[in-house]
């Protein structure tokens, strides 16, 4: 019911707060159009359709751009954070080193 939905939402919010802070700082190190895709869809919860409209491309092109952006960011995270990034950046400790 409503209580389990509220609990689920709180769990999701806690998990989102624990995502590696490196993600937001490393977004600025990738191509600007990739960074915009990550920010809008993954960090700001916009849709791929909204991204496409804003970028002046088709939804399919925006989806491809987002896929490439995620792959690029993942590679950058592994290069920067190592083992932490390979396990999903939950409870990140790379900033504490």
């Amino acid at each position: 019911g409503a209580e389990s939905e509220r609990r689920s939402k709180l769990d999701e919010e806690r998990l989102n707060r624990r995502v590696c802070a490196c993600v937001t700082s490393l977004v600025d190190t990738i191509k600007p159009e990739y960074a915009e895709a990550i920010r809008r869809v993954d960090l700001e919860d916009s849709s791929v359709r909204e991204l496409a409209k804003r970028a002046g491309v088709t939804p399919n092109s925006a989806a491809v751009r987002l896929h490439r952006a995620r792959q690029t960011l993942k590679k950058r995270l592994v290069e920067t954070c190592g083992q932490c990034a390979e396990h999903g950046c939950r409870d990140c400790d790379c900033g504490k080193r």
Side-chain angles (χ1 to χ4, degrees):
E3 178 62 25
S4 74
E5 186 176 311
R6 186 184 71 76
R7 221 174 308 131
S8 177
K9 188 170 180 89
L10 286 172
D11 290 343
E12 183 179 329
E13 288 172 8
R14 274 190 225 111
L15 184 62
N16 286 337
R17 282 194 301 266
R18 290 186 345 216
V19 171
C20 179
C22 298
V23 169
T24 53
S25 63
L26 288 174
V27 164
D28 293 330
T29 69
I30 62 177
K31 289 172 60 171
E33 60 269 19
Y34 287 2
E36 179 182 11
I38 295 285
R39 276 193 204 96
R40 296 217 181 272
V41 176
D42 293 333
L43 301 178
E44 298 172 5
D45 290 329
S46 290
S47 70
V48 172
R49 188 172 298 282
E50 291 173 57
L51 172 65
K53 185 176 179 181
R54 189 173 200 108
V57 298
T58 66
N60 188 51
S61 293
V64 170
R65 182 178 293 179
L66 180 60
H67 173 74
R68 290 179 180 163
R70 288 172 175 161
Q71 294 300 312
T72 301
L73 183 59
K74 179 180 178 181
K75 182 179 177 190
R76 189 65 48 90
L77 278 166
V78 170
E79 290 169 353
T80 303
C81 302
Q83 190 72 17
C84 174
E86 290 177 12
H87 297 287
C89 289
R90 303 288 185 215
D91 293 325
C92 176
D93 67 351
C94 62
K96 299 172 190 166
R97 293 183 205 146

